[in-house]
């Protein structure tokens, strides 16, 4: 492949053949689909967020397709860590690329427990998805309070030596404040952004479509928001952590934009609906072409360039 | 986005099965074997095969099995609105089929009904075998009359038509090699038998699968088949028999809402 | 016009011939363009946000067009209240529809001053745009701190008897918290939402495009976010205040969706770029048709319907 | 979104005026009279008329008047990149023009150059009058040679061509009634004179205006003309003379960056 060697990166010690990562919650449910996605060229895979106990998720409808994105409220449906440990082990046996296990929960001890089980099962990195309603936080999302964020991250950091990713929500007054708390807690990598809180109402049936009423907006609609968040994080925390940019990436241009903003790697989710699994290969080819055209010898050189005066 | 539809007619076909004819506000492009996600506000959303289509009319055949289908049976009436999205998925092969056999179990006849009308338009010669448990479960056999050359109806207890399992049609009633392709839809264990036999006989076969569906568009990962990582909603629901034989889950494992696998026998009965 | 009478509303005592309002910052700069937009059928007009002193705004580029919206950073360019008073007087002489004057500033006393001058000049209502960096707040936006929001609104409320609108930013952890503060301060109407903080980087020139680097995302991309915000506000504050829904409205469906979520009226901004000034007439006709088709005798009956169990 | 362009050539035309030929990465559909917003990263973005177009080549004629144009003159060189968006606005009338007169002042010849080539392709007979202050300011008169039937060049001091204001062409050198339309671009007071005279003579006239532009797409309100509320960026920059005569601002008021109006003489001189 054209210039593919120059696309490889090191992300918090993990070697990725290219900076594309399957975002959490999109298809990362079984070893079999992970294997298939690896064959499409992706650099690393994030699993669906796993909780301590199995969760059915919300009843259907759980997703609404819009012209420029999706609104989803799957409700963290997952088989629970006990069952998922086998999936991790199978995946690790079959995959050559790094496997990042996403962990969710409403209580610190659950999050620590799941993280440890996942790490022990062979996860190459742990990603904390802190957008669950926190039990002690009275329905408030864990990821919106810097004090709680620091506490959770610290607790996991103490018990898990693998690279620690923290996924940030854009639904906060200051994503930098939350990012700082995560970095202070010991996060190696910040992943930005999760979906943007949204709603879709059907004008004829006159009800919110999602069974949970509220959902998260993803896809092209949120791309400029993701670019802003990554840029802000890099400007303020670029020396302390690495950043994975996620949000509305559909083309190599979108990916490069996030990298210029400061992302070392780029997550892909919703694009799979609109472009199919071939989207990975398309973006990789486009990025390789861009590197050559623009005279870069490695994608590393592009990271954060938009900050240069 | 959703297309809004209005129920034009509800027909009670058996005590467990009703047919809903829905008029939608815009034309949709569909092919037999595809499904739609049908939303009943404040109740839920479920995948349903397109059982028939004409202009802006869509027909769904709905077996009452649980919460949403129960509500559809008990509370919906003519004039009610529902919203649908789709069509989704990959349908049946339509090209280069001169002669085909369809094997349906129960409401599995739904996609095959639409398929038979579509193939008839293309000049295909069609034989159909429909299986039911007992006389009271039999429905819609007449809808195949004008399109099929032969229609065999089976009941397990022999209370109607031929006594026995519908799968026997392949072994006793036809010369399988005469067909370019066999299409099947119904209980998965039945389909498993059909696919296995057809492949043994060297006859092409396609089956339409069901799994729990959440997104319907290939991203949530709730309908994955191991070990190939195929998505029933996107790569299926219709699969080629050769592919199905490489899928361990086929005929063996179903996934619950939380994604865990359970043996298929325990939950699946026509 | 078909059923147009049933589209008329009362909004905090103002009579609008229909629920469409020109959003602040879009063309509401001179009496002449306001007159022209009135002729396109709009129900009320909001002016560009006016500050105490004239402001040049940021240097160009100040806007980036995307497929599904705009990102802008005009920088509150405006002629200052001293000059704008004449524009208000001219507008009031020529317009038959209500004129809402949007007011911005970084200091409470400036905001109060501008509000009073605008009210005295004949504004039918005052809308506070609290998304300016607050001087005392060390760069933090005035509109992101509930305590400051309440203080500002209260201060204006004391000195201005005209209907008081408060425009809310979606860039906060809880828009309901800010809305509550505004309502507590005495706001009659909450306007949601302002733009979503975003950024666009050119991959070849490798720089943020806007001179201010950061900008605000508007247009279809933010519509589901606006629906969510309006729904949340109506659920929590629907008894205390009225709501104007703004964000990505391009068609009558988008407008009705916001009304079902709880908006009494609907603001239109970016749609003018993509659909032209005729967008008002198109939406009005679509809404009138919807009311008839669905058997409503007045648009009032639609407000908040999506909340009904 | 922006289209990225690379500077292929920079020509110094006078000490205040340079021509930039830019190769863009994709073809753009333009019509004479339209403008583009040209962005020089970390410097600024300004509106520029399209002075000539061929395939993926765009030519801009840039007068050095301030910050951005100054930077373009002093710091840009061949091979540099810039980004442009557009084309924006409404251009000149092209249809049903058998014979036309163009009256340009200074760099106002830019849109008329492109216009003359486009009209020539359509078989229009073209006469052109170009006005400059003095000999050193004269440029590009030859670019009209192959497309125009007559080219009159005026300088205010008579150091080149005909001595006098270019507006005199209407009164002394041609029979205005012979033309289907007069096109003009240049200092606004000059255009004001042209429009007024043409309308008095009953001849159709179009003029291309300049105002401070921020958005360029008709929403920021910085380019509004009172009292009709016309937007130069969207409803213009080319306006019909009849319309212009209803605009108080025309020839009288300009708007600053903050939107306040100032008398036009104080800022505008060719
Ligand atoms: C592609 C596809 C096409 C289908 N076409 C038809 C059709 O034409 N007619 C028809 O009657 N049914 C069809 N089904 C099955 C139908 O979707 C389910 O019966 C329905 O979702 C059950 O919903 P419920 O709320 O009534 O049941 P629940 O209360 O949710 O559950 C009752 C039973 O149904 C099973 N079930 C739950 N969800 C599904 C699901 N998504 N698919 C299959 N079984 C499920 C459960 O495991 C349980 O055994 C199809 C399913 C798929 C995947
Ligand atoms: C539709 C349109 C087409 C134009 N076509 C051309 C062209 O082909 N060639 C050319 O040389 N110039 C053209 N101009 C004018 C050009 O845009 C300005 O000269 C330029 O914006 C000044 O930028 P600056 O940063 O160099 O000047 P500044 O430092 O910003 O200001 C210097 C002077 O230019 C004036 N000015 C500022 N902005 C504008 C503006 N947007 N339009 C006009 N004057 C302005 C200021 O009032 C001041 O007098 C056009 C303008 C418009 C609106
Ligand atoms: C259907 C769906 C399910 C998701 N589930 C999760 C999840 O379980 N955990 C998580 O951290 N993010 C989840 N996300 C968020 C994505 O990982 C990603 O942050 C977001 O969708 C933005 O990226 P995109 O625009 O490329 O999809 C989900 C997104 C979608 C669309
Ligand atoms: C170019 C532009 C300028 C704006 N200026 C202002 C402003 O001065 N004051 C304000 O309160 N909102 C301003 N807004 C926000 C709009 O009023 C509106 O809240 C937002 O654009 C969302 O609506 P829309 O998607 O219909 O444009 C501006 C928006 C745009 C696009
Ligand atoms: S139902 Fe979501 S991937 Fe198939
Ligand atoms: S430049 Fe913004 S409206 Fe004309």
């Amino acid at each position: 492949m054209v210039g593919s060697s120059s696309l490889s990166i090191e992300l918090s010690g993990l070697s990725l053949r290219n900076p594309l990562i399957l975002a959490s919650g999109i298809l990362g449910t079984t070893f079999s689909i992970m294997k298939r996605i690896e064959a499409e060229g992706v650099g690393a895979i994030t699993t669906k967020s796993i909780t301590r106990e199995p969760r059915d998720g919300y009843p259907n409808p759980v997703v609404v397709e819009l012209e420029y994105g999706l609104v989803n409220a799957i409700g963290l449906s997952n088989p629970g860590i006990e069952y998922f440990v086998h999936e991790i082990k199978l995946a690790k046996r079959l995959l050559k690329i790094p496997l990042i296990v996403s962990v969710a929960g409403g209580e610190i001890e659950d999050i620590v427990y799941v993280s440890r089980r996942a790490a022990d099962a062979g996860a190459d990195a742990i990603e904390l998805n802190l957008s669950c309603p926190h039990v002690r936080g009275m329905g408030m999302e864990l990821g919106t309070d810097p004090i709680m964020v620091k506490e959770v991250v610290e607790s996991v950091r103490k018990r898990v030596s693998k690279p620690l990713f923290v996924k940030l929500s854009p639904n906060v007054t200051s994503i930098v404040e939350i990012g700082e708390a995560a970095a202070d807690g010991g996060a190696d990598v910040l992943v930005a952004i999760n979906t943007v809180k949204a709603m879709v109402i059907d004008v004829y049936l006159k009800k919110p479509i999602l069974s949970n009423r509220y959902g998260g907006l993803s896809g092209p609609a949120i791309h400029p928001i993701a670019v802003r968040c990554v840029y802000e994080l890099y400007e303020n925390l670029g020396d302390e952590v690495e950043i994975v940019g996620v949000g509305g990436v559909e083309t190599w241009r979108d990916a490069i934009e996030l990298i210029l903003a400061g992302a070392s790697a780029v997550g892909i989710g919703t694009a799979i609906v609109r472009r199919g699994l071939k989207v990975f290969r398309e973006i990789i080819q486009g990025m390789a072409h861009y590197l050559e055209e623009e005279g870069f010898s490695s994608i590393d050189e592009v990271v954060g360039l938009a900050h240069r005066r | 986005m959703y297309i809004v539809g209005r129920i034009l007619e509800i027909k009670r076909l058996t005590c467990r099965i009703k047919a809903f004819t829905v008029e939608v506000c815009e034309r949709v492009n569909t092919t037999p074997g595809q499904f739609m996600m049908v939303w009943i506000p404040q109740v839920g959303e479920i995948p349903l095969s397109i059982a028939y289509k004409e202009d802006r009319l869509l027909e769904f055949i709905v077996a009452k099995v649980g919460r949403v289908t129960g509500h559809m049976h008990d509370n919906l009436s003519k004039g009610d609105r529902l919203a649908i999205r789709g069509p989704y998925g990959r349908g049946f092969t339509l090209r280069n089929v001169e002669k085909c056999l369809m094997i349906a179990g129960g409401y599995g006849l739904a996609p095959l009904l639409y398929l038979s009308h579509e193939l008839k338009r293309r000049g295909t010669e069609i034989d159909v075998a429909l299986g039911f448990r007992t006389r009271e479960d039999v429905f819609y056999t007449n809808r195949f009359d004008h399109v099929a050359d032969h229609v065999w109806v089976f009941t397990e207890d022999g209370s109607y038509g031929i006594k026995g399992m519908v799968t026997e049609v392949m072994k006793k009633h036809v010369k399988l090699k005469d067909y370019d392709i066999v299409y099947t839809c119904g209980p998965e264990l039945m389909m498993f038998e059909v696919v296995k036999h057809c492949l043994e006989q060297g006859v092409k076969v396609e089956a339409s699968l069901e799994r729990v569906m959440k997104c319907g568009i290939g991203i949530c990962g709730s309908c994955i088949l191991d070990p190939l990582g195929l998505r029933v909603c996107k790569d299926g629901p219709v699969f080629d028999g050769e592919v199905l034989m490489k899928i361990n889950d086929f005929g063996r494992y179903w996934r619950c809402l939380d994604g865990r696998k359970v043996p298929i026998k325990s939950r699946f009965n026509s």
Side-chain angles (χ1 to χ4, degrees), chain A residues 170-193:
Chain A
N171 305 303
V172 293
T173 307
S174 164
I175 198 169
V176 170
E177 192 185 12
I178 308 295
E180 248 163 20
D184 287 353
D188 301 304
V189 177
L190 300 180
V191 183
I193 56 178

Side-chain angles (χ1 to χ4, degrees), chain B residues 83 121 133 234 244 259:
Chain B
R121 277 201 327 111
R133 217 158 334 179
K234 186 86 186 175
L244 287 172

Side-chain angles (χ1 to χ4, degrees), chain A residues 230-231 234 242-244 257-265 302-307:
Chain A
V230 168
Y231 187 96
Y234 186 86
E242 288 186 279
I243 299 165
V244 174
E257 211 179 333
L258 284 170
I259 295 171
L260 286 165
S264 301
V302 184
V303 177
L305 261 194
H307 292 264

